[in-house]
Amino acid sequence: DVALDQKLLSPLTKAILVNALQVRGLRFNKLSQQAVLRIMQSVRGTDFTALKNLLDGSGGYQNLYKLLYVDLISGSPLQRRLLKHIEDQGRVARASGGGRLGIKVLSDVDDTLYCSGGSFPAGCDRRFPKHMVYPGCLSLFRILDASADHQKPLQDSLDLRGVVSCNLIFLSARPHIYKDVAEG
């Protein structure tokens, strides 16, 4: 409480604390739920966007969705307060970013980013060679992801050196294949 009151914690530190509380178990622990709410409500504006991205960007099971809809009891006052805070801070962040800040682009990979070559189970498009990136797709993603300044690290809000944010997220029905390639 003292560290929150004296504003000693960065969004990164707060994300680590929220994650630790999630790992420990929130669903039936009202004190931990209140602690998470207090941590989340202590962050405002674009720092809140950074906090949400950190919670969602771990690649693990603990994320913002799980926090809101599994860890907090549906319809509870704590859940409503956190959802209201998210809504309020979204408005603040969008206003400061000209209405575009916080856009997330979700994309499939096969027959969306690049051609599958018509090979099952990846897809059915045979118009281009297999694994060819569709013409204009990367430019489209770059335009849609315009709220992320890829030249500027997020050190202002995260106090990290060299970390670049991206609002582009790839989804796949076969994530194990892409995980093996990405981590191999």
Side-chain angles (χ1 to χ4, degrees):
D1 281 341
V2 173
L4 285 176
D5 292 339
Q6 294 182 6
K7 299 181 181 178
L8 300 174
L9 306 176
S10 70
L12 176 60
T13 304
K14 292 174 183 182
I16 291 168
L17 289 172
V18 169
N19 182 267
L21 288 166
Q22 281 188 283
V23 168
R24 188 171 163 215
L26 285 176
R27 181 102 175 132
F28 302 107
N29 189 329
K30 186 113 171 146
L31 286 176
S32 292
Q33 289 179 11
Q34 290 170 340
V36 166
L37 180 64
R38 183 151 156 62
I39 292 167
M40 299 289 283
Q41 288 181 323
S42 73
V43 186
R44 306 213 176 274
T46 55
D47 279 350
F48 191 72
T49 301
L51 174 64
K52 291 188 309 178
N53 288 339
L54 286 165
L55 292 173
D56 279 340
S58 71
Y61 177 64
Q62 310 298 340
N63 57 45
L64 186 60
Y65 179 87
K66 181 181 173 286
L67 172 66
L68 285 168
Y69 299 106
V70 176
D71 295 338
L72 298 179
I73 295 170
S74 184
S76 71
L78 288 170
Q79 184 195 46
R80 286 195 303 270
R81 287 171 56 197
L82 184 51
L83 286 169
K84 176 81 168 102
H85 184 69
I86 290 170
E87 180 182 347
D88 292 346
Q89 295 313 305
R91 279 195 195 98
V92 170
R94 278 191 300 281
S96 71
R100 294 177 54 134
L101 186 68
I103 294 172
K104 295 285 184 191
V105 179
L106 304 177
S107 175
D108 190 9
V109 178
D110 299 317
D111 287 350
T112 304
L113 171 63
Y114 62 74
C115 184
S116 69
S119 59
F120 180 82
C124 59
D125 191 359
R126 296 180 185 182
R127 295 175 297 159
F128 296 97
K130 187 174 185 171
H131 298 298
M132 178 180 176
V133 175
Y134 284 112
C137 188
L138 297 178
S139 296
L140 174 65
F141 287 160
R142 196 172 296 111
I143 290 166
L144 293 173
D145 190 35
S147 67
D149 184 347
H150 300 288
Q151 305 304 314
K152 179 183 167 232
L154 290 178
Q155 61 197 47
D156 295 339
S157 60
L158 294 180
D159 198 28
L160 296 172
R161 305 289 179 229
V163 174
V164 177
S165 175
C166 179
N167 292 324
L168 179 59
I169 300 164
F170 289 100
L171 305 173
S172 175
R174 303 172 300 132
H176 60 283
I177 292 173
Y178 297 106
K179 182 180 180 200
D180 293 346
V181 171
E183 293 178 357

